C-alpha cells in the first residue's frame, strides 16, 4: 500500500477548514499532518481535535507556516487572498504542492503567485466540485452553439457570510461562456446594475449575486432569447463536495511537474 499523503490545512477553523479536516481524517489515502490559522486566533497552540470540541488528534494548530509545512506533501488553502499569496510563496520555498480554493483574488493578486519556473505546483479553482466543473464545460459548449440572440446571465446565491462577489464559480462560468463565444470576458462583462442603466447590450454577459442565510452555493447560467430560455443549474447542498474535490486535487499532485493547474486538469476534463 502507498504511504498516505501528508496534508496541511490552512484556515482550519473556517467553514471549509473544518470540512477539510473531516474529509482528510476519514480518508485512507491522506493523513492530516498540520493545521494553520491566522496569528492571534484562539485555536493557536491548541490540539486541533480539542479545539474542535472532540478527542485530541495529536495535531497542534499553529501560525508558523514554514515549520508546519516541513515534511508535508500538500497544503490545502481556503482562506483569503492576501493569506493565499503568502502560503503560495511559502509552499514553493518548501517544495510543497498548494491547492487553492480561495476566491475573490484580483488579477494583481493572482500575478503575485509564484510562477511554475520557481518550482511552484499550484492547483487553483473557484469551485472544486465535479458538478460545477462539468457545468463549466457545458456552458462553453452551449455558448458556442448559440448566437448573440441569446443573452447570457450568470446568477449566483450564497450564504450571508460570503465576502466576495461575483463568486469564484460565477466568474469561472462567465469565462467559459465568453470562451464559447470567442470573446474576452472583460470586454463584455456587466457586473452590477443599478438605476437607469439603459437597455441590455447585445453580446454582454451579466452577473447577479444573491446573499442570504446558509445557502451553500447555487449557480444558474441563463441563455435568454425571444420566446425561450435555457437554464444550466448547479446546486451545492453540502460543503463536502468542495472538500472532496480539494482532496482529489491534493492526491492528484503526486508526481506532477511544477505548474499552474485547475480542476479541469485534475478531473481530466480540460480537452472537452
Ligand atoms: N473553491 C471552492 O470550491 C470553494 C468552496 C467554498 C469556499 N471557497 C472559498 O474559500 C474561502 C474560505 O471560505 P470559508 O467559507 O471557509 O470562509 P471562513 O471565513 O469560514 O474561513 C476562512 C478561514 O481562513 C482563516 N484565515 C484568514 N487568514 C489566514 C491566515 N493568514 N492564515 C491562516 N488562516 C487564515 C480565517 O481565520 C478563517 O478561519 C473563500 O474565499 C471562499 O469563497 C471556495
Ligand atoms: O461559500 C463560499 O464562499 C463559496 N465560494 C466559492 C465561490 O466563490 O464560488 C464556491 C462556492 C462556495
Amino acid at each position: 500500500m502507498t504511504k498516505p499523503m501528508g496534508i496541511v490545512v490552512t484556515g482550519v477553523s473556517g467553514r471549509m477548514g473544518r470540512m477539510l479536516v473531516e474529509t482528510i481524517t476519514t480518508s485512507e489515502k491522506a493523513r492530516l499532518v498540520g493545521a494553520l490559522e491566522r496569528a492571534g486566533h484562539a485555536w493557536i497552540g491548541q490540539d486541533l481535535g480539542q479545539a474542535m470540541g472532540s478527542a485530541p488528534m495529536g495535531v497542534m494548530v499553529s501560525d508558523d507556516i514554514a515549520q508546519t509545512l516541513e515534511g508535508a506533501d500538500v497544503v490545502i488553502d481556503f482562506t483569503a487572498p492576501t493569506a493565499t499569496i503568502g502560503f503560495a510563496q511559502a509552499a514553493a520555498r518548501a517544495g510543497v504542492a498548494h491547492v487553492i480554493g480561495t476566491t475573490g483574488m484580483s488579477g494583481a493578486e493572482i500575478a503575485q503567485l509564484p510562477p511554475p519556473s520557481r518550482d511552484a505546483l499550484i492547483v487553483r479553482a473557484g469551485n472544486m466540485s465535479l458538478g460545477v466543473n462539468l457545468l463549466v464545460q457545458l456552458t462553453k459548449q452551449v455558448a458556442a452553439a448559440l448566437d448573440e440572440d441569446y443573452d447570457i446571465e450568470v446568477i449566483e446565491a450564497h450564504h450571508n457570510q460570503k465576502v466576495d462577489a461575483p463568486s469564484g464559480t460565477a466568474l469561472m462560468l462567465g469565462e467559459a461562456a465568453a470562451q464559447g463565444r470567442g470573446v474576452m470576458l472583460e470586454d463584455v462583462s456587466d457586473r452590477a446594475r443599478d438605476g437607469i442603466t439603459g437597455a441590455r447590450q447585445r453580446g454582454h454577459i451579466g452577473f447577479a449575486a444573491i446573499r442570504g442565510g446558509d445557502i451553500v452555493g447555487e449557480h444558474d447560467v441563463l441563455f435568454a432569447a425571444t420566446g425561450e430560455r435555457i437554464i444550466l443549474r448547479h446546486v451545492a447542498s453540502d460543503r463536502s463536495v468542495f472538500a472532496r474535490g480539494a482532496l482529489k486535487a491534493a492526491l492528484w499532485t503526486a508526481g506532477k511537474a511544477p505548474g499552474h493547474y485547475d480542476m479541469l486538469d485534475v478531473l481530466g476534463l480540460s480537452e472537452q
Side-chain angles (χ1 to χ4, degrees):
M1 208 179 112
T2 50
K3 196 171 146 235
M5 190 171 244
I7 299 184
V8 171
V9 172
T10 71
V12 75
S13 80
R15 278 173 288 272
M16 280 306 300
R18 291 168 195 250
M19 187 54 77
L20 285 160
V21 169
E22 193 181 319
T23 305
I24 293 163
T25 53
T26 51
S27 165
E28 288 178 356
K29 296 178 181 162
R31 200 163 64 88
L32 187 70
V33 297
L36 287 162
E37 250 307 338
R38 63 184 154 73
H41 192 278
W43 286 18
I44 303 293
Q46 288 192 49
D47 178 275
L48 177 61
Q50 286 175 317
M52 292 177 88
S54 49
M57 279 184 185
V59 173
M60 302 303 279
V61 183
S62 173
D63 59 3
D64 186 330
I65 305 172
Q67 192 184 57
T68 305
L69 293 185
E70 247 171 60
D73 297 304
V74 188
V75 53
I76 304 184
D77 173 9
F78 287 66
T79 57
T82 317
T84 290
I85 293 166
F87 290 126
Q89 289 160 355
R93 273 195 300 274
V96 169
H98 188 192
V99 173
I100 303 176
T102 305
T103 59
M105 295 183 79
S106 65
E109 285 166 335
I110 291 167
Q112 290 178 58
L113 297 176
S117 56
R118 292 223 345 251
D119 277 353
L121 198 175
I122 292 175
V123 181
R124 188 174 69 86
N127 195 305
M128 302 263 171
S129 78
L130 171 61
V132 158
N133 284 279
L134 276 175
L135 191 68
V136 163
Q137 296 302 54
L138 291 172
T139 298
K140 194 169 157 184
Q141 284 171 21
V142 176
L146 300 174
D147 65 17
E148 291 184 352
D149 286 347
Y150 289 77
D151 296 324
I152 303 177
E153 296 278 317
V154 182
I155 303 130
E156 53 107 336
H158 285 87
H159 54 92
N160 59 20
Q161 299 302 302
K162 185 160 179 65
V163 296
D164 56 307
S167 68
T169 312
L171 293 171
M172 284 165 70
L173 294 166
E175 273 295 346
Q179 276 177 28
R181 280 234 165 124
V183 295
M184 299 296 289
L185 182 59
E186 59 263 35
D187 296 338
V188 296
S189 174
D190 283 343
R191 285 293 187 93
R193 300 190 183 104
D194 188 20
I196 310 295
T197 60
R200 191 186 196 286
Q201 268 190 264
R202 186 177 164 84
H204 275 210
I205 297 174
F207 291 87
I210 294 161
R211 295 288 176 266
D214 62 356
I215 301 170
V216 173
E218 303 184 1
H219 294 86
D220 278 6
V221 187
L222 167 69
F223 298 84
T226 304
E228 67 174 357
R229 295 194 293 276
I230 299 164
I231 303 168
L232 302 181
R233 169 171 296 167
H234 181 268
V235 176
S237 50
D238 191 310
R239 286 189 177 82
S240 61
V241 293
F242 312 131
R244 284 202 304 272
L247 176 57
K248 192 185 257 290
L251 297 171
W252 177 87
T253 62
K256 292 287 179 307
H260 286 195
Y261 303 97
D262 61 22
M263 280 307 282
L264 297 177
D265 297 311
V266 172
L267 296 168
L269 296 172
S270 46
E271 294 312 315
Q272 290 173 24

